Amino acid sequence: MKSKLFYILLIFPFVVTYSQNYDWVKHDSLVKAGINQIYSIELDKAEKTFDKIVKEYPTHPSGKFFKAMITWWRILVNLDDESMDEKFYDQLEEVIEMCDDILDKNENNVDAMFFKGGALGFRGQLLAIRESWVKAALDGKEGLDLIFRSYKVNPKNIDVQLGFGIYHYYADVIPKKFPAVKPFMVFFPKGDKERGIKELENVAWNGRYTRIEARSFLQKLTFQFEEQMEESRKWGKILLNDFPDNPVFQRYYGLSFVKENNYSDASKIFRDIYNKCKRGLPGYNKRFEREATYYIGNDFLIKNIADSSAFYFSKSEKLSRELDKNGESGFLINTVLFLGMLNDLLGNRETAKKYYNETLRLKERNNSHQLAKRYLIEPYRK
């Protein structure tokens, strides 16, 4: 959780500005098409689009930067897989070196400042996820400085407010909620939550290239920190209207109903996610399928439809056993306990006892051990 909360301080926007000595209209069109392909999780198509940009505009950092963002989304939809980390770092290093070469010739080149800041921000983000805190903080500090520098050169660029908005919001909120982060904040300017939200909203409606990223952040922060589920769903609906097959956007939308214990509406979203997983849509992998079957199973459990609930929880159990390579997830612990309870309801007492005993071997989650001990003595009844 700490990694998820801290790395968002280090993110910087997708920002594209242009030199005056080439056809920026065509470049603009290609970049926007490629960005839409990234958010649509059409990552193979995006690769071709940005390969073309790299070929046709070899002196501009945008092509290489967004090729790294394709890798970032491949990582984002499956954070447990670290096999692409080094590729991502290498791609970002290429962007940084290219931008440094440009800045050596012109220290006020806005494009180079933006893309170097973005590369440092995303590198810091992954470093934080992997819990390399010091390296992440250093990248975040350098990237933030570049964002402020670029704003001084071109203060009319609305897109730059994404970087400010993200920073101002999280630099205010996170240290208050998570004191362990405070030592890192001595490197950074003071935050301002309300200012950050206004800046993000301005970009979400008026940004040119960072509009989608601003909406994505507003969906997440209203869910995670503000706990305003209706507001989170507002941004989720807008995002899914444009990108209906983005599993990350869809997952947060579904979780906003879970947060309200509205499993009936949540299950509709997660059933769609489950169906997309079974159809093999890009990005809809086993992690999303495991979560979808878990929440569908919860809905049937609440409705006291034991056989259907057990069917989906069994799927979630199987996927958890496959995915939980770094320790027992909450999905597995809860699912094992629930399967014990469901087998009791279905009259399978010996199977239920097997699941209760396994619950006791797993680590404690909430009151899982207490419940397992109780149901080993007396069968669970609704």
Side-chain angles (χ1 to χ4, degrees), residues 337-364:
L337 176 61
F338 290 153
L339 283 170
M341 295 159 61
L342 288 162
N343 274 280
D344 262 340
L345 291 176
L346 293 168
N348 304 321
R349 180 58 179 163
E350 292 306 311
T351 302
K353 289 166 71 175
K354 182 193 74 171
Y355 279 115
Y356 295 141
N357 281 315
E358 183 178 2
T359 299
L360 294 175
R361 292 193 296 270
L362 298 172
K363 64 186 178 183
E364 176 84 42

Side-chain angles (χ1 to χ4, degrees), residues 165-275:
I166 292 169
Y167 178 77
H168 288 138
Y169 180 83
Y170 288 114
D172 187 357
V173 169
I174 289 180
K176 293 176 181 176
K177 292 197 174 186
F178 304 94
V181 175
K182 285 185 178 180
F184 292 99
M185 298 310 298
V186 299
F187 299 106
F188 296 89
K190 187 178 179 181
D192 183 333
K193 183 178 86 165
E194 297 305 322
R195 178 181 176 184
I197 291 175
K198 289 179 181 178
E199 288 166 334
L200 286 168
E201 288 178 342
N202 186 32
V203 180
W205 295 120
N206 302 309
R208 185 173 176 82
Y209 300 104
T210 62
R211 185 178 302 175
I212 304 305
E213 195 71 6
R215 292 173 180 178
S216 176
F217 270 96
L218 286 163
Q219 182 194 30
K220 292 175 187 176
L221 72 85
T222 51
F223 172 83
Q224 291 179 324
F225 298 103
E226 299 303 303
E227 297 188 358
Q228 297 173 357
M229 297 304 113
E230 194 62 40
E231 186 72 5
S232 180
R233 283 194 288 273
K234 180 188 82 173
W235 294 110
K237 287 176 185 177
I238 293 170
L239 288 165
L240 290 169
N241 184 62
D242 292 330
F243 306 102
D245 297 329
N246 183 305
V248 177
F249 298 159
Q250 197 170 19
R251 173 180 178 268
Y252 273 102
Y253 188 67
L255 288 176
S256 70
F257 291 109
V258 172
K259 192 83 168 180
E260 297 175 331
N261 292 316
N262 181 354
Y263 285 94
S264 182
D265 283 335
S267 70
K268 296 174 186 176
I269 309 304
F270 283 105
R271 189 175 293 278
D272 188 51
I273 291 174
Y274 173 73
N275 290 334

